[in-house]
């Protein structure tokens, strides 16, 4: 709230919890699944994300060490665990990543950080009953990161028309961040999956990325 980014009314907080107004008694309604296909709602969501990112750069620069950053898990040790758990150690993409690790990590570290929400879904969405605004709540994964990671996270849940409306309202984004994200989103997803007792079903698609298009995306990232 200190940054001026819209939130539900905050009554009290601790290091581990927020006490916020009852959304059913607020000027907002809870998001519903249909909002993911609604172009007007998507545009309202884009305005909130644009506000978060534009106001979050300075905060992330000053308080970054205190904030969650999903890319902190992107380490050679964690990638070794991925290779072992997924049985993909012989794939050429791993050699490419290992031989160019300094370039990859430099690109990730060099991406400008801002506040990122990291957890978009309609169950975390509040839409003004007036239809004039929308905002996200449930901030357990709020942290620092590059803005495009949020754009990808949102667009993965939106239908075609809503996705176009979101991107159109949000405006320009850093294409270099998109190149970085095309690589590290797969790797971070696999790191998360391999941290569980059993590999989740959704990890199968990421493993296919290792066997398929990830190699070319790594080459693009490192400038080959």
């Amino acid at each position: 709230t200190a940054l001026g980014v819209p939130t539900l009314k905050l009554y009290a907080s601790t290091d581990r919890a927020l006490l916020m107004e009852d959304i059913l008694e607020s000027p907002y309604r809870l998001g519903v699944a249909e909002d993911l296909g609604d172009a007007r709602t998507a545009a309202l969501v884009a305005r909130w994300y644009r506000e978060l990112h534009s106001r979050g750069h300075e905060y992330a620069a000053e308080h970054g060490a205190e904030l969650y950053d999903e890319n902190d898990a992107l380490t050679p040790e964690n990638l070794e665990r991925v290779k072992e758990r997924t049985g993909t150690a012989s794939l050429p993409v791993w050699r490419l990543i290992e031989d160019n690790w300094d370039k990859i990590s430099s690109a990730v570290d060099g991406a400008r950080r801002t506040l990122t929400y990291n957890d978009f879904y309609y169950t975390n969405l509040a839409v003004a009953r007036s239809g004039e605004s929308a905002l996200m709540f449930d901030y357990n994964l709020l942290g620092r990161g590059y803005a495009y990671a949020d754009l990808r996270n949102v667009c993965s849940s939106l239908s075609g028309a809503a996705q176009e409306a979101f991107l159109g309202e949000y405006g320009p984004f850093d294409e270099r961040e998109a190149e970085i994200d095309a690589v590290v989103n797969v790797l971070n997803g696999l790191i998360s999956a391999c941290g569980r007792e059993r590999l989740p079903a959704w990890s199968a698609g990421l493993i296919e990325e290792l066997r398929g298009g990830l190699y070319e995306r790594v080459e693009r990232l490192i400038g080959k």
Side-chain angles (χ1 to χ4, degrees):
T1 58
L3 294 180
V5 180
T7 69
L8 296 175
K9 187 180 297 184
L10 179 66
Y11 293 119
S13 65
T14 69
D15 291 341
R16 296 178 178 272
L18 300 174
L19 178 61
M20 309 181 84
E21 66 180 323
D22 183 347
I23 194 169
L24 298 180
E25 303 297 327
S26 79
Y28 293 87
R29 64 165 175 83
L30 285 168
V32 294
E34 289 74 17
D35 287 322
L36 300 180
D38 184 77
R40 176 171 173 77
T41 300
L44 298 176
V45 171
R47 294 176 194 172
W48 185 85
Y49 272 91
R50 190 174 61 214
E51 193 85 354
L52 176 71
H53 295 158
S54 64
R55 294 179 181 272
H57 285 117
E58 183 176 350
Y59 188 91
E62 293 180 359
H63 304 281
E66 307 166 16
L67 300 174
Y68 159 78
D69 187 333
E70 68 176 356
N71 290 306
D72 288 343
L74 192 64
T75 65
E77 294 77 16
N78 283 339
L79 294 179
E80 282 295 322
R81 187 175 301 112
V82 170
K83 286 194 290 185
E84 293 172 7
R85 289 288 308 276
T86 60
T88 60
S90 63
L91 292 179
V93 69
W94 289 121
R95 179 64 180 271
L96 181 66
I97 290 171
E98 290 164 5
D99 289 348
N100 295 278
W101 180 249
D102 287 347
K103 289 183 179 179
I104 294 170
S105 59
S106 178
V108 175
D109 292 343
R112 188 184 184 195
R113 295 310 198 259
T114 186
L115 287 177
T116 49
Y117 183 70
N118 300 308
D119 194 24
F120 176 80
Y121 203 49
Y122 74 87
T123 53
N124 296 334
L125 171 65
V127 181
R129 300 178 196 276
S130 66
E132 295 178 354
S133 64
L135 58 84
M136 305 305 298
F137 62 94
D138 188 357
Y139 303 112
N140 64 310
L141 290 182
L142 184 76
R144 70 176 191 132
Y146 49 85
Y148 185 81
D150 264 345
L151 305 191
R152 179 256 307 152
N153 181 243
V154 175
C155 286
S156 67
S157 294
L158 299 181
S159 68
Q163 186 179 120
E164 290 179 11
F166 175 85
L167 292 174
E169 181 66 32
Y170 184 89
F173 57 82
D174 189 332
E175 296 286 351
R176 181 58 172 171
E177 290 181 8
E179 286 187 347
I180 294 168
D181 191 72
V183 173
V184 302
N185 179 45
V186 174
L187 300 179
N188 279 329
L190 287 168
I191 288 169
S192 175
C194 291
R196 307 185 186 197
E197 184 175 351
R198 289 187 174 185
L199 291 179
W202 52 259
S203 66
L206 299 178
I207 294 172
E208 284 305 306
E209 294 284 349
L210 292 176
R211 303 181 190 278
L214 187 62
Y215 192 99
E216 291 183 359
R217 296 201 292 273
V218 173
E219 284 190 317
R220 192 176 303 119
L221 176 59
I222 63 178
K224 284 196 172 183

PDB file of all heavy atoms in Angstrom, residues 189-224:
ATOM      1  N   GLY A 189      10.918 -24.483 -13.540  1.00  0.00           N
ATOM      2  CA  GLY A 189       9.798 -25.398 -13.371  1.00  0.00           C
ATOM      3  C   GLY A 189      10.254 -26.800 -13.031  1.00  0.00           C
ATOM      4  O   GLY A 189       9.679 -27.478 -12.170  1.00  0.00           O
ATOM      5  N   LEU A 190      11.307 -27.253 -13.704  1.00  0.00           N
ATOM      6  CA  LEU A 190      11.834 -28.589 -13.434  1.00  0.00           C
ATOM      7  C   LEU A 190      12.491 -28.666 -12.061  1.00  0.00           C
ATOM      8  O   LEU A 190      12.399 -29.687 -11.369  1.00  0.00           O
ATOM      9  CB  LEU A 190      12.828 -28.981 -14.525  1.00  0.00           C
ATOM     10  CG  LEU A 190      12.184 -29.317 -15.878  1.00  0.00           C
ATOM     11  CD1 LEU A 190      13.242 -29.396 -16.960  1.00  0.00           C
ATOM     12  CD2 LEU A 190      11.409 -30.628 -15.788  1.00  0.00           C
ATOM     13  N   ILE A 191      13.160 -27.602 -11.659  1.00  0.00           N
ATOM     14  CA  ILE A 191      13.744 -27.568 -10.318  1.00  0.00           C
ATOM     15  C   ILE A 191      12.644 -27.702  -9.266  1.00  0.00           C
ATOM     16  O   ILE A 191      12.777 -28.459  -8.295  1.00  0.00           O
ATOM     17  CB  ILE A 191      14.551 -26.272 -10.113  1.00  0.00           C
ATOM     18  CG1 ILE A 191      15.847 -26.320 -10.935  1.00  0.00           C
ATOM     19  CG2 ILE A 191      14.887 -26.062  -8.632  1.00  0.00           C
ATOM     20  CD1 ILE A 191      16.576 -24.996 -11.006  1.00  0.00           C
ATOM     21  N   SER A 192      11.548 -26.981  -9.465  1.00  0.00           N
ATOM     22  CA  SER A 192      10.421 -27.075  -8.536  1.00  0.00           C
ATOM     23  C   SER A 192       9.841 -28.488  -8.530  1.00  0.00           C
ATOM     24  O   SER A 192       9.568 -29.059  -7.464  1.00  0.00           O
ATOM     25  CB  SER A 192       9.347 -26.061  -8.930  1.00  0.00           C
ATOM     26  OG  SER A 192       8.193 -26.203  -8.134  1.00  0.00           O
ATOM     27  N   ALA A 193       9.649 -29.059  -9.714  1.00  0.00           N
ATOM     28  CA  ALA A 193       9.071 -30.405  -9.810  1.00  0.00           C
ATOM     29  C   ALA A 193       9.944 -31.436  -9.132  1.00  0.00           C
ATOM     30  O   ALA A 193       9.454 -32.349  -8.446  1.00  0.00           O
ATOM     31  CB  ALA A 193       8.865 -30.769 -11.278  1.00  0.00           C
ATOM     32  N   CYS A 194      11.259 -31.308  -9.303  1.00  0.00           N
ATOM     33  CA  CYS A 194      12.189 -32.298  -8.753  1.00  0.00           C
ATOM     34  C   CYS A 194      12.415 -32.118  -7.257  1.00  0.00           C
ATOM     35  O   CYS A 194      13.070 -32.947  -6.626  1.00  0.00           O
ATOM     36  CB  CYS A 194      13.519 -32.238  -9.503  1.00  0.00           C
ATOM     37  SG  CYS A 194      13.390 -32.841 -11.209  1.00  0.00           S
ATOM     38  N   GLY A 195      11.882 -31.056  -6.691  1.00  0.00           N
ATOM     39  CA  GLY A 195      11.939 -30.879  -5.248  1.00  0.00           C
ATOM     40  C   GLY A 195      10.829 -31.617  -4.527  1.00  0.00           C
ATOM     41  O   GLY A 195      10.784 -31.619  -3.291  1.00  0.00           O
ATOM     42  N   ARG A 196       9.954 -32.279  -5.276  1.00  0.00           N
ATOM     43  CA  ARG A 196       8.841 -33.021  -4.687  1.00  0.00           C
ATOM     44  C   ARG A 196       9.167 -34.513  -4.633  1.00  0.00           C
ATOM     45  O   ARG A 196      10.041 -35.000  -5.349  1.00  0.00           O
ATOM     46  CB  ARG A 196       7.573 -32.793  -5.511  1.00  0.00           C
ATOM     47  CG  ARG A 196       7.258 -31.318  -5.719  1.00  0.00           C
ATOM     48  CD  ARG A 196       5.960 -31.109  -6.422  1.00  0.00           C
ATOM     49  NE  ARG A 196       5.752 -29.695  -6.734  1.00  0.00           N
ATOM     50  CZ  ARG A 196       4.585 -29.164  -7.046  1.00  0.00           C
ATOM     51  NH1 ARG A 196       3.502 -29.937  -7.098  1.00  0.00           N
ATOM     52  NH2 ARG A 196       4.484 -27.877  -7.323  1.00  0.00           N
ATOM     53  N   GLU A 197       8.452 -35.197  -3.775  1.00  0.00           N
ATOM     54  CA  GLU A 197       8.704 -36.633  -3.617  1.00  0.00           C
ATOM     55  C   GLU A 197       8.463 -37.374  -4.927  1.00  0.00           C
ATOM     56  O   GLU A 197       9.218 -38.278  -5.291  1.00  0.00           O
ATOM     57  CB  GLU A 197       7.809 -37.206  -2.518  1.00  0.00           C
ATOM     58  CG  GLU A 197       8.081 -38.669  -2.218  1.00  0.00           C
ATOM     59  CD  GLU A 197       7.267 -39.180  -1.059  1.00  0.00           C
ATOM     60  OE1 GLU A 197       6.616 -38.358  -0.363  1.00  0.00           O
ATOM     61  OE2 GLU A 197       7.263 -40.407  -0.827  1.00  0.00           O
ATOM     62  N   ARG A 198       7.395 -37.007  -5.626  1.00  0.00           N
ATOM     63  CA  ARG A 198       7.094 -37.581  -6.936  1.00  0.00           C
ATOM     64  C   ARG A 198       7.012 -36.462  -7.968  1.00  0.00           C
ATOM     65  O   ARG A 198       6.500 -35.387  -7.671  1.00  0.00           O
ATOM     66  CB  ARG A 198       5.765 -38.336  -6.914  1.00  0.00           C
ATOM     67  CG  ARG A 198       5.797 -39.633  -6.130  1.00  0.00           C
ATOM     68  CD  ARG A 198       4.489 -40.375  -6.331  1.00  0.00           C
ATOM     69  NE  ARG A 198       4.504 -41.693  -5.723  1.00  0.00           N
ATOM     70  CZ  ARG A 198       3.525 -42.578  -5.844  1.00  0.00           C
ATOM     71  NH1 ARG A 198       2.446 -42.265  -6.555  1.00  0.00           N
ATOM     72  NH2 ARG A 198       3.605 -43.765  -5.268  1.00  0.00           N
ATOM     73  N   LEU A 199       7.497 -36.727  -9.166  1.00  0.00           N
ATOM     74  CA  LEU A 199       7.388 -35.734 -10.221  1.00  0.00           C
ATOM     75  C   LEU A 199       5.913 -35.522 -10.564  1.00  0.00           C
ATOM     76  O   LEU A 199       5.192 -36.483 -10.844  1.00  0.00           O
ATOM     77  CB  LEU A 199       8.134 -36.193 -11.473  1.00  0.00           C
ATOM     78  CG  LEU A 199       9.656 -36.239 -11.394  1.00  0.00           C
ATOM     79  CD1 LEU A 199      10.226 -36.746 -12.708  1.00  0.00           C
ATOM     80  CD2 LEU A 199      10.226 -34.858 -11.079  1.00  0.00           C
ATOM     81  N   PRO A 200       5.430 -34.284 -10.544  1.00  0.00           N
ATOM     82  CA  PRO A 200       4.031 -34.029 -10.884  1.00  0.00           C
ATOM     83  C   PRO A 200       3.782 -34.261 -12.371  1.00  0.00           C
ATOM     84  O   PRO A 200       4.703 -34.194 -13.189  1.00  0.00           O
ATOM     85  CB  PRO A 200       3.844 -32.555 -10.514  1.00  0.00           C
ATOM     86  CG  PRO A 200       5.213 -31.972 -10.572  1.00  0.00           C
ATOM     87  CD  PRO A 200       6.156 -33.055 -10.159  1.00  0.00           C
ATOM     88  N   ALA A 201       2.534 -34.490 -12.722  1.00  0.00           N
ATOM     89  CA  ALA A 201       2.184 -34.784 -14.110  1.00  0.00           C
ATOM     90  C   ALA A 201       2.584 -33.653 -15.049  1.00  0.00           C
ATOM     91  O   ALA A 201       3.002 -33.901 -16.192  1.00  0.00           O
ATOM     92  CB  ALA A 201       0.688 -35.071 -14.215  1.00  0.00           C
ATOM     93  N   TRP A 202       2.487 -32.397 -14.573  1.00  0.00           N
ATOM     94  CA  TRP A 202       2.784 -31.273 -15.460  1.00  0.00           C
ATOM     95  C   TRP A 202       4.250 -31.177 -15.832  1.00  0.00           C
ATOM     96  O   TRP A 202       4.623 -30.471 -16.783  1.00  0.00           O
ATOM     97  CB  TRP A 202       2.307 -29.952 -14.858  1.00  0.00           C
ATOM     98  CG  TRP A 202       2.756 -29.667 -13.457  1.00  0.00           C
ATOM     99  CD1 TRP A 202       2.031 -29.822 -12.316  1.00  0.00           C
ATOM    100  CD2 TRP A 202       4.037 -29.153 -13.032  1.00  0.00           C
ATOM    101  NE1 TRP A 202       2.759 -29.443 -11.210  1.00  0.00           N
ATOM    102  CE2 TRP A 202       3.991 -29.019 -11.620  1.00  0.00           C
ATOM    103  CE3 TRP A 202       5.191 -28.777 -13.698  1.00  0.00           C
ATOM    104  CZ2 TRP A 202       5.072 -28.539 -10.873  1.00  0.00           C
ATOM    105  CZ3 TRP A 202       6.283 -28.303 -12.973  1.00  0.00           C
ATOM    106  CH2 TRP A 202       6.209 -28.193 -11.568  1.00  0.00           C
ATOM    107  N   SER A 203       5.123 -31.897 -15.115  1.00  0.00           N
ATOM    108  CA  SER A 203       6.548 -31.837 -15.444  1.00  0.00           C
ATOM    109  C   SER A 203       6.856 -32.530 -16.768  1.00  0.00           C
ATOM    110  O   SER A 203       7.902 -32.270 -17.381  1.00  0.00           O
ATOM    111  CB  SER A 203       7.387 -32.456 -14.328  1.00  0.00           C
ATOM    112  OG  SER A 203       7.144 -33.849 -14.213  1.00  0.00           O
ATOM    113  N   ALA A 204       5.956 -33.399 -17.236  1.00  0.00           N
ATOM    114  CA  ALA A 204       6.193 -34.115 -18.495  1.00  0.00           C
ATOM    115  C   ALA A 204       6.364 -33.144 -19.660  1.00  0.00           C
ATOM    116  O   ALA A 204       7.228 -33.355 -20.535  1.00  0.00           O
ATOM    117  CB  ALA A 204       5.059 -35.090 -18.773  1.00  0.00           C
ATOM    118  N   GLY A 205       5.575 -32.092 -19.680  1.00  0.00           N
ATOM    119  CA  GLY A 205       5.693 -31.109 -20.750  1.00  0.00           C
ATOM    120  C   GLY A 205       7.020 -30.387 -20.717  1.00  0.00           C
ATOM    121  O   GLY A 205       7.605 -30.083 -21.766  1.00  0.00           O
ATOM    122  N   LEU A 206       7.529 -30.107 -19.522  1.00  0.00           N
ATOM    123  CA  LEU A 206       8.822 -29.437 -19.399  1.00  0.00           C
ATOM    124  C   LEU A 206       9.959 -30.353 -19.829  1.00  0.00           C
ATOM    125  O   LEU A 206      10.941 -29.897 -20.437  1.00  0.00           O
ATOM    126  CB  LEU A 206       9.026 -28.969 -17.961  1.00  0.00           C
ATOM    127  CG  LEU A 206       8.007 -27.956 -17.432  1.00  0.00           C
ATOM    128  CD1 LEU A 206       8.299 -27.610 -15.976  1.00  0.00           C
ATOM    129  CD2 LEU A 206       8.015 -26.692 -18.285  1.00  0.00           C
ATOM    130  N   ILE A 207       9.844 -31.623 -19.514  1.00  0.00           N
ATOM    131  CA  ILE A 207      10.866 -32.585 -19.942  1.00  0.00           C
ATOM    132  C   ILE A 207      10.906 -32.666 -21.465  1.00  0.00           C
ATOM    133  O   ILE A 207      11.979 -32.763 -22.075  1.00  0.00           O
ATOM    134  CB  ILE A 207      10.602 -33.959 -19.309  1.00  0.00           C
ATOM    135  CG1 ILE A 207      10.786 -33.878 -17.782  1.00  0.00           C
ATOM    136  CG2 ILE A 207      11.540 -35.010 -19.894  1.00  0.00           C
ATOM    137  CD1 ILE A 207      10.360 -35.130 -17.043  1.00  0.00           C
ATOM    138  N   GLU A 208       9.739 -32.581 -22.095  1.00  0.00           N
ATOM    139  CA  GLU A 208       9.697 -32.565 -23.561  1.00  0.00           C
ATOM    140  C   GLU A 208      10.379 -31.327 -24.119  1.00  0.00           C
ATOM    141  O   GLU A 208      10.969 -31.367 -25.203  1.00  0.00           O
ATOM    142  CB  GLU A 208       8.257 -32.652 -24.053  1.00  0.00           C
ATOM    143  CG  GLU A 208       7.661 -34.040 -23.939  1.00  0.00           C
ATOM    144  CD  GLU A 208       8.513 -35.093 -24.651  1.00  0.00           C
ATOM    145  OE1 GLU A 208       8.812 -34.902 -25.849  1.00  0.00           O
ATOM    146  OE2 GLU A 208       8.901 -36.085 -23.994  1.00  0.00           O
ATOM    147  N   GLU A 209      10.307 -30.225 -23.380  1.00  0.00           N
ATOM    148  CA  GLU A 209      11.021 -29.019 -23.802  1.00  0.00           C
ATOM    149  C   GLU A 209      12.531 -29.261 -23.824  1.00  0.00           C
ATOM    150  O   GLU A 209      13.241 -28.760 -24.702  1.00  0.00           O
ATOM    151  CB  GLU A 209      10.698 -27.855 -22.871  1.00  0.00           C
ATOM    152  CG  GLU A 209       9.264 -27.384 -22.925  1.00  0.00           C
ATOM    153  CD  GLU A 209       8.967 -26.561 -24.162  1.00  0.00           C
ATOM    154  OE1 GLU A 209       9.909 -26.189 -24.878  1.00  0.00           O
ATOM    155  OE2 GLU A 209       7.783 -26.312 -24.409  1.00  0.00           O
ATOM    156  N   LEU A 210      13.035 -30.032 -22.865  1.00  0.00           N
ATOM    157  CA  LEU A 210      14.463 -30.380 -22.854  1.00  0.00           C
ATOM    158  C   LEU A 210      14.836 -31.153 -24.114  1.00  0.00           C
ATOM    159  O   LEU A 210      15.927 -30.979 -24.664  1.00  0.00           O
ATOM    160  CB  LEU A 210      14.797 -31.231 -21.627  1.00  0.00           C
ATOM    161  CG  LEU A 210      14.721 -30.595 -20.250  1.00  0.00           C
ATOM    162  CD1 LEU A 210      14.987 -31.646 -19.180  1.00  0.00           C
ATOM    163  CD2 LEU A 210      15.728 -29.457 -20.126  1.00  0.00           C
ATOM    164  N   ARG A 211      13.937 -32.003 -24.549  1.00  0.00           N
ATOM    165  CA  ARG A 211      14.201 -32.836 -25.724  1.00  0.00           C
ATOM    166  C   ARG A 211      13.949 -32.085 -27.033  1.00  0.00           C
ATOM    167  O   ARG A 211      14.401 -32.526 -28.092  1.00  0.00           O
ATOM    168  CB  ARG A 211      13.306 -34.087 -25.687  1.00  0.00           C
ATOM    169  CG  ARG A 211      13.456 -34.925 -24.433  1.00  0.00           C
ATOM    170  CD  ARG A 211      12.566 -36.163 -24.484  1.00  0.00           C
ATOM    171  NE  ARG A 211      12.527 -36.841 -23.210  1.00  0.00           N
ATOM    172  CZ  ARG A 211      13.465 -37.689 -22.793  1.00  0.00           C
ATOM    173  NH1 ARG A 211      14.501 -37.951 -23.577  1.00  0.00           N
ATOM    174  NH2 ARG A 211      13.366 -38.277 -21.606  1.00  0.00           N
ATOM    175  N   GLY A 212      13.231 -30.976 -26.945  1.00  0.00           N
ATOM    176  CA  GLY A 212      12.825 -30.276 -28.151  1.00  0.00           C
ATOM    177  C   GLY A 212      13.401 -28.883 -28.282  1.00  0.00           C
ATOM    178  O   GLY A 212      14.593 -28.705 -28.512  1.00  0.00           O
ATOM    179  N   GLY A 213      12.557 -27.876 -28.097  1.00  0.00           N
ATOM    180  CA  GLY A 213      12.915 -26.513 -28.456  1.00  0.00           C
ATOM    181  C   GLY A 213      13.843 -25.767 -27.531  1.00  0.00           C
ATOM    182  O   GLY A 213      14.303 -24.671 -27.875  1.00  0.00           O
ATOM    183  N   LEU A 214      14.135 -26.300 -26.346  1.00  0.00           N
ATOM    184  CA  LEU A 214      14.946 -25.541 -25.403  1.00  0.00           C
ATOM    185  C   LEU A 214      16.354 -25.297 -25.930  1.00  0.00           C
ATOM    186  O   LEU A 214      16.942 -24.248 -25.668  1.00  0.00           O
ATOM    187  CB  LEU A 214      15.001 -26.254 -24.048  1.00  0.00           C
ATOM    188  CG  LEU A 214      15.687 -25.450 -22.934  1.00  0.00           C
ATOM    189  CD1 LEU A 214      14.925 -24.159 -22.660  1.00  0.00           C
ATOM    190  CD2 LEU A 214      15.817 -26.266 -21.660  1.00  0.00           C
ATOM    191  N   TYR A 215      16.913 -26.243 -26.664  1.00  0.00           N
ATOM    192  CA  TYR A 215      18.275 -26.092 -27.176  1.00  0.00           C
ATOM    193  C   TYR A 215      18.396 -24.804 -28.001  1.00  0.00           C
ATOM    194  O   TYR A 215      19.318 -24.006 -27.792  1.00  0.00           O
ATOM    195  CB  TYR A 215      18.651 -27.305 -28.029  1.00  0.00           C
ATOM    196  CG  TYR A 215      20.124 -27.384 -28.370  1.00  0.00           C
ATOM    197  CD1 TYR A 215      20.974 -28.208 -27.642  1.00  0.00           C
ATOM    198  CD2 TYR A 215      20.658 -26.644 -29.421  1.00  0.00           C
ATOM    199  CE1 TYR A 215      22.328 -28.290 -27.947  1.00  0.00           C
ATOM    200  CE2 TYR A 215      22.005 -26.710 -29.726  1.00  0.00           C
ATOM    201  CZ  TYR A 215      22.835 -27.538 -28.991  1.00  0.00           C
ATOM    202  OH  TYR A 215      24.176 -27.607 -29.294  1.00  0.00           O
ATOM    203  N   GLU A 216      17.479 -24.587 -28.920  1.00  0.00           N
ATOM    204  CA  GLU A 216      17.525 -23.399 -29.769  1.00  0.00           C
ATOM    205  C   GLU A 216      17.322 -22.133 -28.954  1.00  0.00           C
ATOM    206  O   GLU A 216      17.927 -21.091 -29.243  1.00  0.00           O
ATOM    207  CB  GLU A 216      16.473 -23.493 -30.864  1.00  0.00           C
ATOM    208  CG  GLU A 216      16.775 -24.563 -31.906  1.00  0.00           C
ATOM    209  CD  GLU A 216      15.745 -24.581 -33.013  1.00  0.00           C
ATOM    210  OE1 GLU A 216      14.786 -23.762 -32.943  1.00  0.00           O
ATOM    211  OE2 GLU A 216      15.885 -25.389 -33.933  1.00  0.00           O
ATOM    212  N   ARG A 217      16.487 -22.200 -27.921  1.00  0.00           N
ATOM    213  CA  ARG A 217      16.246 -21.012 -27.102  1.00  0.00           C
ATOM    214  C   ARG A 217      17.480 -20.659 -26.279  1.00  0.00           C
ATOM    215  O   ARG A 217      17.774 -19.482 -26.067  1.00  0.00           O
ATOM    216  CB  ARG A 217      15.017 -21.234 -26.213  1.00  0.00           C
ATOM    217  CG  ARG A 217      13.743 -21.398 -27.036  1.00  0.00           C
ATOM    218  CD  ARG A 217      12.514 -21.106 -26.225  1.00  0.00           C
ATOM    219  NE  ARG A 217      12.264 -22.080 -25.192  1.00  0.00           N
ATOM    220  CZ  ARG A 217      11.576 -23.210 -25.351  1.00  0.00           C
ATOM    221  NH1 ARG A 217      11.098 -23.514 -26.554  1.00  0.00           N
ATOM    222  NH2 ARG A 217      11.369 -24.035 -24.355  1.00  0.00           N
ATOM    223  N   VAL A 218      18.220 -21.670 -25.818  1.00  0.00           N
ATOM    224  CA  VAL A 218      19.475 -21.413 -25.121  1.00  0.00           C
ATOM    225  C   VAL A 218      20.473 -20.766 -26.083  1.00  0.00           C
ATOM    226  O   VAL A 218      21.172 -19.800 -25.734  1.00  0.00           O
ATOM    227  CB  VAL A 218      20.067 -22.692 -24.502  1.00  0.00           C
ATOM    228  CG1 VAL A 218      21.447 -22.429 -23.923  1.00  0.00           C
ATOM    229  CG2 VAL A 218      19.142 -23.256 -23.428  1.00  0.00           C
ATOM    230  N   GLU A 219      20.565 -21.281 -27.286  1.00  0.00           N
ATOM    231  CA  GLU A 219      21.476 -20.709 -28.287  1.00  0.00           C
ATOM    232  C   GLU A 219      21.130 -19.233 -28.539  1.00  0.00           C
ATOM    233  O   GLU A 219      22.030 -18.384 -28.640  1.00  0.00           O
ATOM    234  CB  GLU A 219      21.374 -21.476 -29.598  1.00  0.00           C
ATOM    235  CG  GLU A 219      22.083 -22.827 -29.579  1.00  0.00           C
ATOM    236  CD  GLU A 219      22.167 -23.434 -30.960  1.00  0.00           C
ATOM    237  OE1 GLU A 219      21.148 -23.383 -31.690  1.00  0.00           O
ATOM    238  OE2 GLU A 219      23.230 -23.974 -31.307  1.00  0.00           O
ATOM    239  N   ARG A 220      19.848 -18.933 -28.628  1.00  0.00           N
ATOM    240  CA  ARG A 220      19.426 -17.549 -28.865  1.00  0.00           C
ATOM    241  C   ARG A 220      19.822 -16.669 -27.668  1.00  0.00           C
ATOM    242  O   ARG A 220      20.283 -15.536 -27.854  1.00  0.00           O
ATOM    243  CB  ARG A 220      17.922 -17.512 -29.085  1.00  0.00           C
ATOM    244  CG  ARG A 220      17.399 -16.190 -29.622  1.00  0.00           C
ATOM    245  CD  ARG A 220      15.907 -16.259 -29.918  1.00  0.00           C
ATOM    246  NE  ARG A 220      15.625 -17.339 -30.859  1.00  0.00           N
ATOM    247  CZ  ARG A 220      14.852 -18.376 -30.584  1.00  0.00           C
ATOM    248  NH1 ARG A 220      14.279 -18.496 -29.388  1.00  0.00           N
ATOM    249  NH2 ARG A 220      14.624 -19.312 -31.481  1.00  0.00           N
ATOM    250  N   LEU A 221      19.650 -17.194 -26.474  1.00  0.00           N
ATOM    251  CA  LEU A 221      19.973 -16.430 -25.276  1.00  0.00           C
ATOM    252  C   LEU A 221      21.451 -16.093 -25.190  1.00  0.00           C
ATOM    253  O   LEU A 221      21.832 -14.997 -24.818  1.00  0.00           O
ATOM    254  CB  LEU A 221      19.529 -17.217 -24.031  1.00  0.00           C
ATOM    255  CG  LEU A 221      19.878 -16.610 -22.673  1.00  0.00           C
ATOM    256  CD1 LEU A 221      19.253 -15.226 -22.530  1.00  0.00           C
ATOM    257  CD2 LEU A 221      19.439 -17.517 -21.551  1.00  0.00           C
ATOM    258  N   ILE A 222      22.306 -17.041 -25.535  1.00  0.00           N
ATOM    259  CA  ILE A 222      23.754 -16.831 -25.390  1.00  0.00           C
ATOM    260  C   ILE A 222      24.381 -16.215 -26.645  1.00  0.00           C
ATOM    261  O   ILE A 222      25.589 -15.971 -26.689  1.00  0.00           O
ATOM    262  CB  ILE A 222      24.473 -18.144 -25.045  1.00  0.00           C
ATOM    263  CG1 ILE A 222      24.318 -19.169 -26.195  1.00  0.00           C
ATOM    264  CG2 ILE A 222      23.960 -18.696 -23.725  1.00  0.00           C
ATOM    265  CD1 ILE A 222      25.051 -20.471 -25.940  1.00  0.00           C
ATOM    266  N   GLY A 223      23.542 -15.993 -27.679  1.00  0.00           N
ATOM    267  CA  GLY A 223      24.029 -15.292 -28.856  1.00  0.00           C
ATOM    268  C   GLY A 223      24.702 -16.159 -29.887  1.00  0.00           C
ATOM    269  O   GLY A 223      25.536 -15.670 -30.669  1.00  0.00           O
ATOM    270  N   LYS A 224      24.361 -17.438 -29.940  1.00  0.00           N
ATOM    271  CA  LYS A 224      24.946 -18.312 -30.964  1.00  0.00           C
ATOM    272  C   LYS A 224      24.080 -18.326 -32.206  1.00  0.00           C
ATOM    273  O   LYS A 224      22.883 -18.145 -32.141  1.00  0.00           O
ATOM    274  CB  LYS A 224      25.101 -19.743 -30.422  1.00  0.00           C
ATOM    275  CG  LYS A 224      26.263 -19.886 -29.476  1.00  0.00           C
ATOM    276  CD  LYS A 224      26.620 -21.346 -29.270  1.00  0.00           C
ATOM    277  CE  LYS A 224      27.904 -21.506 -28.480  1.00  0.00           C
ATOM    278  NZ  LYS A 224      28.297 -22.908 -28.331  1.00  0.00           N
TER     279      LYS A 224
END
